[in-house]
Amino acid sequence: MTSRRLALGTAAALVIALLPLPAQASDPGWFWNRPHCDTVYGDGSVTITETDGATLAPTTGKLRPVTYAKVAALAEPNTLITIGRQSIQRSSDAGCSWQLLDKAPDDLSTYDVEPGPGDSAYIYSVNDQPIHRVHGSTVTTVQGPVKDRGLATLATRPGRLRVVAGGGQVYDSSDDGVSWQRAGVPADPNLFLYDAVVDPRNQDHIVIGASSNGVYVTYDGGRSWTRSRPVERVNAFSLAISPTDPSKVWMEGYDRDRATRFIWESSDGGLKFREVLDQSRATLINGNKMWASPADPDLLYFSYGTSFANFGADLYRFRPSTGELSKQHNRNDGIPSLAFNPSNPSILYLGLAEER
């Protein structure tokens, strides 16, 4: 009888092992909640919309000038980090309320925030040197890999940070940014980088956007680079990559030959681009921020905003395959950042700007 019970138990274990893992085992978003609030309790830097920007949740605080708030949703359930002016804030209730974590010595207007594993996030700038590390409720600071130089992008995975610096040089750190090692070679040492994106599924796939020289792409972590076609004479200001289909890459830039701004799309990871939107249909500037949907590889958001003439801000929703384009207007001075709720990507967190 004892041996029969053991055999049955072993068989049951084998069946369980062969069954597909439930969604919550592989998808951190399964643990997230939708925000259960009508009003956001905070300083006004972050709001929530479930209507692509048609309606914004009111905030208890009024955003102070001059602020360009950036927001990121973390892997830790219901946790977000936002930065603005000199403040680093955290929400632990899916964005309904915000608490101050730390005051940074530097103005964070040119900084961005990148979620890391678990409850970590990294705050870095294309212009400035320090990297601020958030682990839970603790904020610490380390220096970047290049003295007096900023970073075009920062990507994380457990045990490693990967950044892209000037010229397209890739650096890696295995000790949380304390020390750095070169990876590969620069795309061109003389390039002035505007932006870069790292494939979330394969960090050896990197796309960079440069002044005057267009776009370069690597599939081997920077050991070799290919110049993208036919955008060799483009100021490539902004990039986005689809988390669900990294063959989809978007670039917003200025075609110097035609004196016109476009959004271009690549369907091969950044090797070739085609125009999908021009400035006759949307307000394109030198660097509209773009955000790719984490659920739909054919859905892109981008924004335009200014305080000039009290214009306000537009949030665009764009489907490149059909050209479908819509926008929602609000009275803020800009939307410099957008994050998706991991459990429901139709819930958007907007980092707002106040210039006056």
Side-chain angles (χ1 to χ4, degrees), residues 134-272:
V134 179
H135 295 291
S137 58
T138 302
V139 180
T140 55
T141 300
V142 291
Q143 297 303 306
V146 184
K147 186 178 180 180
D148 301 325
R149 294 281 186 91
L151 306 173
T153 194
L154 182 151
T156 71
R157 72 182 191 194
R160 188 177 82 173
L161 303 180
R162 168 158 280 189
V163 301
V164 181
Q169 178 64 60
V170 178
Y171 294 88
D172 290 330
S173 174
S174 57
D175 56 11
D176 207 29
V178 176
S179 62
W180 296 90
Q181 299 77 43
R182 286 176 181 265
V185 297
D188 181 334
N190 298 314
L191 287 180
F192 179 84
L193 262 60
Y194 285 122
D195 201 3
V197 289
V198 178
D199 184 339
R201 297 186 178 187
N202 172 17
Q203 289 195 354
D204 284 341
H205 174 207
I206 303 167
V207 186
I208 63 174
S211 171
S212 303
N213 291 283
V215 177
Y216 294 75
V217 60
T218 178
Y219 275 93
D220 55 16
R223 289 189 294 274
S224 63
W225 293 89
T226 300
R227 196 172 181 188
S228 306
R229 297 181 290 113
V231 290
E232 294 91 342
R233 288 180 51 79
V234 167
N235 288 327
F237 294 117
S238 302
L239 293 163
I241 188 168
S242 169
T244 57
D245 179 5
S247 68
K248 291 289 187 70
V249 180
W250 294 277
M251 181 264 290
E252 189 271 340
Y254 178 75
D255 187 315
R256 294 185 294 136
D257 292 331
R258 291 179 287 175
T260 304
R261 295 173 182 85
F262 296 92
I263 291 178
W264 284 265
E265 180 183 70
S266 172
S267 298
D268 58 9
L271 294 171
K272 298 186 297 295

Side-chain angles (χ1 to χ4, degrees), residues 12 17 19 38 48 54 92 102 128 136 148 157 159 161 189 195 213 223 255 270 291 301 310 332-333 338 349 352:
L19 288 173
D38 296 323
I48 304 170
S92 300
D102 202 359
D128 295 317
D148 301 325
R157 72 182 191 194
L161 303 180
D195 201 3
N213 291 283
R223 289 189 294 274
D255 187 315
W291 305 277
Y301 291 87
N310 297 317
N332 295 283
D333 292 339
L338 181 153
Y349 301 97
L352 304 175

Side-chain angles (χ1 to χ4, degrees), residues 270-290:
L271 294 171
K272 298 186 297 295
F273 283 85
R274 65 183 182 93
E275 301 154 13
V276 290
L277 186 72
D278 67 49
Q279 64 185 37
S280 68
R281 297 188 60 205
T283 305
L284 301 182
I285 57 171
N286 293 351
N288 301 76
K289 295 296 292 183
M290 302 186 294

Side-chain angles (χ1 to χ4, degrees), residues 41-82:
Y41 290 80
D43 65 357
S45 60
V46 177
T47 186
I48 304 170
T49 180
E50 299 187 35
T51 57
D52 291 329
T55 303
L56 307 183
T59 61
T60 56
K62 180 176 173 56
L63 192 58
R64 296 172 54 201
V66 170
T67 300
Y68 298 91
K70 314 293 172 55
V71 61
L74 307 191
E76 180 75 9
N78 306 313
T79 304
L80 301 99
I81 295 292
T82 186

